[in-house]
Amino acid sequence: MKKLFFWAAAALFAGAVLTTSCNKDDDDNNGGTTSDIDERKRIQDSIQRVQDSLAQIVKANKIIDVDVEFTASETSYDGTKFTVDVATIAKELGITEDEFLKGIEGKDGGAEVVTYTIQSDGNELIGTNTQKGASEKGWGHWFTAKGDVTTWSEGQAADYSITYAGQAVIFTDFHRVSDDSNEFECVVGQFPAKLAEAGLVGQTYTIKEGVKYDDVKVVLQIKVSIKGLEELKAEVVDSKELTLTTAVYDSHEDYIELDSTEILSKLGATSFADCKFVAIKADGSYAQEPDDPALGLYWENLDGEASGYTDGNFYIGYAHAADNENRGKLIIGQYGHKLQVPEAEGSETKVDFTGDFTARWGVFYNNKVVMVNVKVTIASYEDPDAGTFTGTPASSEKAYDAIERAYELGYDATVVDVKEQLQTTFQMTCYEIYQAFQAGTLKLYAANIADTDPEYTGEKPGYWLDKDGKGIAYANGLVYANLVVNDFANQKLIINVGHHPENTKAGVEVNIKLIVTNGTVNAVITVPVKVAAQLPAETPAE
C-alpha cells in the first residue's frame, strides 16, 4: 500500500512540475530555450516511467510467482509446463479445490470463478480465452511481444467476443491434466520463430494470469526466461551422393536405400537414436530443429535450404520408425502441390517444376556430421491409363450406400469409392481428373450448382456441411465430404466422410449431395450419413 501511494504521489508531483513548466513556456511564446525544451522532455520521460511503473503494480490478494525457462524455436510450438498450486489458490479464494476446478471448467457444482489476464498497461482483460486448445477444460491466452492479449493469427477470441490482430509470440494454456485428476497444469509455449523476430531471446518475459471469486483475486506471475539455441559446429567426415528420378505430385513419397551402418561407423555412434538430424540454412549454418522430429524431417526449398513448410517445395527425412519395407530408408516427399515455380520472373502464376535440384540432409553426432546429398530429377508423370477412355462423356447420378457412423469416430474418415462413376462420366483417367481439378475445368459443388465458382469449406475440393447438406464453415459444420483426387499414383478417386464431434453430440442425419461438373456434364453423388449420439459417460462403480 505504501508503494502504491509513493508512485501515485510521484505521478502527481511530476504532473504539477510539467504543468508549471508548460505554463512558463506558453508565456515565453516561442516554447522556451533549448535547455527549457530539454527539461520539459526530461519531465515527460519521467512521467512516462512513472506510468509504466504503475502499470506493473499487480492488484491482488495473493501473487504466486512462477519461474520457468525454455529455448526459443524456429519450428516448434513447444515450451515448458508447470503444475498449478490449486490448493493455495482455492484456499485464498475461500472455496474447495473441487469447486475451483469445476468452476474453471464450467461444470455443475463449481464456484463462479472468473479468469482474467493483465495487459501491459496494467488493465485487466476479464473472461477472455484466445488459446483455443484451452477452451474446453481451462483457459489461456496468446500474447504479443509487448505483453498484450492477441490470437494465434488475426481473428477472434475463442468465445468470439473480441477481434484481435494477431502478432502472437507466446501463449499460456491452463487445464486439468485429465478428467479423473485434480492436478492442474499450465503449458507455456511459443509461436515458431516469432520470439527471435521480436528480440526476446535472452530476455525474461512476464505473464500475469489471474483468477477471482467474489472480490478476492489471485494472480500467477509467470516469469519466462527465453534461451537461444546454440549454433552447431561440426566437421563433415563424409558425404553420401544419391540420386532419384520422380515426378510432380500433390502428395507423394519416394524412398531411397540408405546405408545407416556405414553412417554410424563414420560418426562413431551406435544408433541414430543418439544422433541429431540436420539440414543446411540459407546462411550455411546447420538447422537442428526438424519440422517433424520423429522423422528428422525438414522442408527445403529448391536450393536445398531448410525453409519450413510455408516456403518449402519438398521434404526430406528418415523412416527409421516405419513398420513396413520402407523402414530405414530416406524419404523425399511432396505435399500440397508445392513443387512449383513462377511461370515467369515476377509472375504469380505457378507451374510444375522441371529439371534437377539437390536435397541436403545430415546426421550429427559428437561434433561430426555425415551429409547425404540427393540429386532429384523431375520427369513428366507417365499416366498408366493414358488412352483408355475414348467414349463420349455423359451425365450420371448414383446413390451410394448409407453410412452409419459411431460418434467416437469423430474426424476419422469413412471412404466412398467414386472412381468408376467419375471415370465413366467424364471419360478420364485418375490423373486426367486430377489435372482437370488443378486447372479448374472440373469443379465440385454441394447440394446445388451455383453460378459462381465453388467456395470450398473443407479440404479442397470438399465441404463442411450443415443439416441440409449445404456448405458451411468448419466451426458450424456437422459432417464433411472431401473428394480426394490427388492419389492418382495409386489410381484412387474417393470421398472421405467424417463428422464434427463438438457439433454432433446429439446425433445427426445429413443427406450428402455432391456434384462434379465441367459446366456441361455432371456426376451427381448422393450419400446419406447418420451419426449416432454420444453415449453418456459410465457412472463409476461404488
Side-chain angles (χ1 to χ4, degrees):
M1 190 68 182
K2 290 180 178 179
K3 183 183 290 187
L4 179 60
F5 176 82
F6 169 78
W7 283 117
L12 290 171
F13 172 75
V17 173
L18 178 61
T19 302
T20 303
S21 176
C22 288
N23 288 340
K24 180 181 185 300
D25 288 340
D26 290 340
D27 292 341
D28 291 342
N29 295 323
N30 293 325
T33 64
T34 300
S35 59
D36 290 335
I37 295 172
D38 290 342
E39 178 65 10
R40 185 163 67 243
K41 184 177 184 305
R42 185 189 67 77
I43 294 171
Q44 289 171 334
D45 289 344
S46 297
I47 291 176
Q48 184 61 55
R49 285 194 296 273
V50 169
Q51 291 172 337
D52 290 344
S53 297
L54 286 170
Q56 301 310 309
I57 296 175
V58 179
K59 302 173 184 177
N61 298 81
K62 187 174 187 63
I63 299 172
I64 300 175
D65 289 310
V66 181
D67 294 312
V68 296
E69 67 174 24
F70 62 71
T71 300
S73 173
E74 296 181 357
T75 62
S76 175
Y77 286 89
D78 292 344
T80 188
K81 61 183 178 181
F82 63 90
T83 300
V84 178
D85 189 351
V86 173
T88 298
I89 295 174
K91 181 179 180 181
E92 187 68 31
L93 296 178
I95 57 179
T96 68
E97 293 181 42
D98 188 59
E99 287 173 332
F100 171 78
L101 291 170
K102 287 181 178 178
I104 290 294
E105 297 173 346
K107 292 182 177 179
D108 292 341
E112 293 185 6
V113 177
V114 176
T115 62
Y116 65 96
T117 190
I118 301 176
Q119 302 264 66
S120 64
D121 61 3
N123 289 324
E124 296 174 359
L125 192 58
I126 298 173
T128 60
N129 179 10
T130 65
Q131 162 49 9
K132 298 194 177 192
S135 59
E136 291 184 10
K137 295 184 178 181
W139 89 96
H141 297 92
W142 278 99
F143 296 92
T144 66
K146 185 180 177 181
D148 293 323
V149 169
T150 185
T151 51
W152 173 78
S153 62
E154 183 175 354
Q156 292 179 308
D159 59 2
Y160 302 101
S161 60
I162 302 175
T163 300
Y164 298 94
Q167 303 173 344
V169 298
I170 199 166
F171 72 85
T172 57
D173 185 337
F174 291 85
H175 56 268
R176 193 194 294 248
V177 173
S178 63
D179 291 336
D180 58 354
S181 169
N182 279 346
E183 188 175 356
F184 203 68
E185 71 178 11
C186 175
V187 173
V188 183
Q190 61 186 301
F191 197 114
K194 294 299 183 182
L195 291 171
E197 288 180 14
L200 292 172
V201 175
Q203 305 295 315
T204 298
Y205 185 101
T206 301
I207 300 168
K208 299 166 187 172
E209 293 274 23
V211 292
K212 66 179 182 177
Y213 178 67
D214 289 339
D215 294 327
V216 182
K217 297 180 181 179
V218 176
V219 168
L220 287 95
Q221 188 164 252
I222 309 164
K223 296 180 180 179
V224 187
S225 296
I226 303 169
K227 302 186 298 181
L229 195 64
E230 293 183 8
E231 185 176 350
L232 205 61
K233 301 290 186 181
E235 173 193 1
V236 178
V237 295
D238 195 16
S239 294
K240 303 297 180 186
E241 307 298 327
L242 306 176
T243 60
L244 170 69
T245 299
T246 188
V248 174
Y249 298 89
D250 189 82
S251 179
H252 181 72
E253 288 184 342
D254 289 291
Y255 294 87
I256 307 171
E257 294 288 349
L258 190 66
D259 191 342
S260 56
T261 301
E262 183 181 357
I263 292 175
L264 290 171
S265 176
K266 293 283 186 180
L267 294 171
T270 57
S271 168
F272 275 177
D274 301 324
C275 303
K276 276 188 176 182
F277 300 113
V278 299
I280 307 299
K281 296 182 182 180
D283 62 5
S285 63
Y286 289 110
Q288 49 184 305
E289 294 184 283
D291 297 297
D292 184 343
L295 299 174
L297 183 151
Y298 290 89
W299 276 93
E300 296 185 1
N301 59 29
L302 293 172
D303 292 321
E305 299 164 346
S307 56
Y309 172 78
T310 301
D311 297 320
N313 299 100
F314 65 93
Y315 59 83
I316 180 170
Y318 179 58
H320 59 87
D323 57 0
N324 53 31
E325 69 278 4
N326 294 319
R327 184 181 180 86
K329 294 181 180 179
L330 195 68
I331 308 167
I332 302 287
Q334 304 173 47
Y335 180 78
H337 208 121
K338 292 173 68 65
L339 201 52
Q340 293 188 314
V341 293
E343 187 175 33
E345 187 175 351
S347 173
E348 294 185 2
T349 302
K350 292 191 173 183
V351 296
D352 289 350
F353 173 82
T354 57
D356 302 328
F357 63 87
T358 299
R360 300 184 294 173
W361 179 85
V363 186
F364 170 90
Y365 178 76
N366 196 25
N367 297 323
K368 294 181 288 187
V369 67
V370 172
M371 290 301 302
V372 180
N373 303 311
V374 185
K375 181 180 179 181
V376 181
T377 300
I378 301 298
S380 299
Y381 176 74
E382 294 184 8
D383 188 350
D385 290 340
T388 301
F389 297 95
T390 58
T392 302
S395 294
S396 68
E397 293 187 23
K398 184 171 180 179
Y400 289 82
D401 291 340
I403 296 174
E404 294 193 6
R405 291 173 55 85
Y407 171 80
E408 289 73 23
L409 283 174
Y411 298 110
D412 292 345
T414 301
V415 174
V416 180
D417 189 344
V418 295
K419 175 182 174 181
E420 181 180 356
Q421 182 187 4
L422 295 186
Q423 287 189 325
T424 303
T425 300
F426 297 104
Q427 291 295 295
M428 290 180 172
T429 67
C430 292
Y431 182 59
E432 288 168 342
I433 289 173
Y434 163 75
Q435 287 184 306
F437 269 100
Q438 290 294 313
T441 55
L442 278 182
K443 300 173 183 178
L444 180 71
Y445 290 91
N448 297 291
I449 296 176
D451 294 331
T452 57
D453 286 339
E455 296 182 5
Y456 300 125
T457 59
E459 186 174 334
K460 298 179 182 179
Y463 297 91
W464 278 96
L465 304 168
D466 63 14
K467 62 182 178 62
D468 298 317
K470 295 180 180 179
I472 195 170
Y474 158 78
N476 300 312
L478 300 176
V479 301
Y480 69 79
N482 303 324
L483 176 60
V484 180
V485 297
N486 58 19
D487 199 9
F488 54 83
N490 293 312
Q491 299 295 298
K492 289 184 179 180
L493 288 167
I494 61 174
I495 292 174
N496 283 332
V497 177
H499 64 269
H500 196 311
E502 288 304 307
N503 299 340
T504 54
K505 291 181 179 180
V508 70
E509 294 185 34
V510 177
N511 190 44
I512 296 174
K513 179 181 178 182
L514 299 177
I515 306 139
V516 181
T517 182
N518 62 9
T520 304
V521 176
N522 305 325
V524 180
I525 300 163
T526 57
V527 187
V529 178
K530 181 178 180 179
V531 180
Q534 182 183 21
L535 295 174
E538 293 184 7
T539 303
E542 296 182 358

